Amino acid sequence: MNEERAPAASVETLLEALPYIRDFHGRTVVIKYGGAAMREEELREGFATDVVLLKYVGLNPVIVHGGGPDITSYMERLGMEVRFVEGVRVSDPETVEVAKMVLLGKVNADIVSRLNRHGQPAVGLSGDDGALFQIRPHVDAERVGLVGEVERVDVDVLNHIAEDYIPVVASAGADREGNSYNVNADAAAGKVAAALQAHKAIFLTDVAGWLADAEDPASLISRASVDEVTGAMGGVAGGMRPKLGACVEAIRGGVQSAHIIDGSKPHSLLLELFTNAGIGTMVTP
Ligand code: ADP
Ligand code: MG
C-alpha cells in the first residue's frame, strides 16, 4: 500500500475503525451508486473493493444504482434528445427502452462482475425481478413522461439474496399493467432503505454533499434534520433535489441516518463509515 505512511498511522486507523465495525455488524446499509463514482475505471474498482470489505466485516450492503451518464451517452449515440426537469430525466417509451437496456445490460452487469471478481458474489436485479418494485406514474407525469415512482417495495427477494450475495438493484420497473418506467435511482434507494429498515442510506454523488449554494463548494451543509431539509427543498434544484427527497423518505421510514458523500473521492464510503471524520452531508431525524 502506501509505503510512505508510518505503520503507526495504519494501526491508528484500524483502531479508530474498530468501534464502528462492532457497531455495524449485521446491519444493513443501502448504498446508492451512480454518477461520478462510476465514471472512472479506478473509482469503479475502488467502489467494488469497498463494498466487498463491508460484506467481509459483517455489514449487509445493498446497492441501488442509476446509470445517468451511460444512459445519456447511449441516447446521444442513437441521436435521441436528452432532457431533464428538476433532476429527473424526461422519458418517452424509447428513452425507457434504452435506459432499461443500458442499466441492466451494461451498468448492472459491470457492478456485479466487479464484486464477483473482488471476492464477494453479487446478484443483479431490477424492480421487475421477484416483483421487487411496484411502480406508479410520477406525480408530474405531464412534464416528465414515463418516469415512475416506487409505490411498494417487496423486500422478500432482497432478503433472500442478501443471505448469501450482495444484491445490486437497477432502478427500473413496471406498473401493474406491465408498462415499464424509468425510475430515479435516488428515489428508489430511499424507498429500498426504508423498506429494509436499513441502519444507514448512503448516496454517492459528484459533489461534496448538499451545498447551501450549489455554485460554492465551500458551502457544504454537514448536518441537517429532516425538517431543515424539507424547509429548504423549495430552493434546491437539479439532481440534489431527488437526493434530498430520498434522504427524507429514508429517515421518515425509520432509517437512522442518510448520508450524501462525494463518490469521486477514492474510498469515500469507507471514510464515511469507519472514521471519526464524517464527510459530506448527514441527514438525521
Ligand atoms: P447523481 O448521479 O449523484 O444522482 P446528479 O447530477 O443527479 O448526480 O446530482 C448531483 C448534482 O446536483 C450535482 O453535481 C450538482 O450539479 C447538482 N446540484 C444542484 N443543487 C445542488 C446543491 N444545492 N448542492 C449540491 N449539488 C447540487
Ligand atoms: Mg441523480
Side-chain angles (χ1 to χ4, degrees):
M1 300 277 270
N2 190 347
E3 285 169 16
E4 282 155 38
R5 200 162 172 201
S10 312
V11 171
E12 287 285 309
T13 309
L14 271 174
L15 290 174
E16 189 180 331
L18 189 60
Y20 294 102
I21 293 173
R22 197 188 299 134
D23 185 36
F24 295 157
H25 194 90
R27 304 236 199 221
T28 297
V29 181
V30 172
I31 302 157
K32 190 275 180 156
Y33 179 45
M38 267 180 190
R39 228 160 274 162
E40 284 165 39
E41 172 65 19
E42 211 177 304
L43 289 169
R44 290 199 287 260
E45 282 292 289
F47 174 77
T49 52
D50 290 0
V51 171
V52 163
L53 190 142
L54 299 186
K55 187 85 175 175
Y56 276 127
V57 299
L59 278 91
N60 175 29
V62 174
I63 315 295
V64 179
H65 69 90
D70 274 312
I71 296 168
T72 298
S73 98
Y74 272 81
M75 287 178 68
E76 283 167 353
R77 273 200 238 175
L78 294 167
M80 296 163 72
E81 190 198 356
V82 177
R83 239 169 11 102
F84 284 87
V85 169
E86 288 174 356
V88 174
R89 187 185 301 275
V90 178
S91 302
D92 58 10
E94 289 74 30
T95 303
V96 175
E97 191 179 325
V98 172
K100 225 169 172 170
M101 289 197 298
V102 173
L103 271 182
L104 279 162
K106 182 165 188 289
V107 183
N108 190 276
D110 181 72
I111 300 168
V112 167
S113 89
R114 269 175 217 278
L115 294 171
N116 290 344
R117 267 196 291 111
H118 285 282
Q120 283 287 353
V123 170
L125 64 171
S126 80
D128 295 334
D129 294 289
L132 175 61
F133 294 158
Q134 174 91 61
I135 305 291
R136 65 162 174 241
H138 194 279
V139 283
D140 206 2
E142 295 250 307
R143 288 163 77 204
V144 296
L146 290 169
V147 172
E149 284 175 1
V150 178
E151 183 169 44
R152 200 173 54 84
V153 178
D154 187 336
V155 292
D156 277 1
V157 62
L158 286 182
N159 287 330
H160 279 295
I161 291 173
E163 296 216 345
D164 298 299
Y165 305 93
I166 299 174
V168 180
V169 180
S171 61
D175 65 13
R176 265 175 253 258
E177 282 76 46
N179 307 304
S180 283
Y181 291 86
N182 192 10
V183 181
N184 179 273
D186 292 316
K191 295 272 185 181
V192 167
L196 286 171
Q197 292 291 294
H199 186 59
K200 284 174 187 286
I202 302 179
F203 299 82
L204 268 64
T205 186
D206 60 352
V207 284
W210 176 25
L211 307 172
D213 171 2
E215 305 300 318
D216 178 8
S219 68
L220 177 71
I221 299 167
S222 35
R223 270 192 97 130
S225 68
V226 163
D227 285 346
E228 283 164 344
V229 173
T230 49
M233 199 88 122
V236 181
M240 194 48 56
R241 200 180 165 88
K243 224 175 286 296
L244 287 171
C247 290
V248 169
E249 177 89 32
I251 302 287
R252 286 195 174 141
V255 176
Q256 291 195 2
S257 59
H259 306 248
I260 301 171
I261 64 173
D262 190 350
S264 67
K265 296 268 182 325
H267 305 295
S268 52
L269 198 52
L270 297 185
L271 285 171
E272 176 64 34
L273 283 168
F274 298 119
T275 70
N276 300 333
I279 51 171
T281 299
M282 172 159 93
V283 181
T284 52

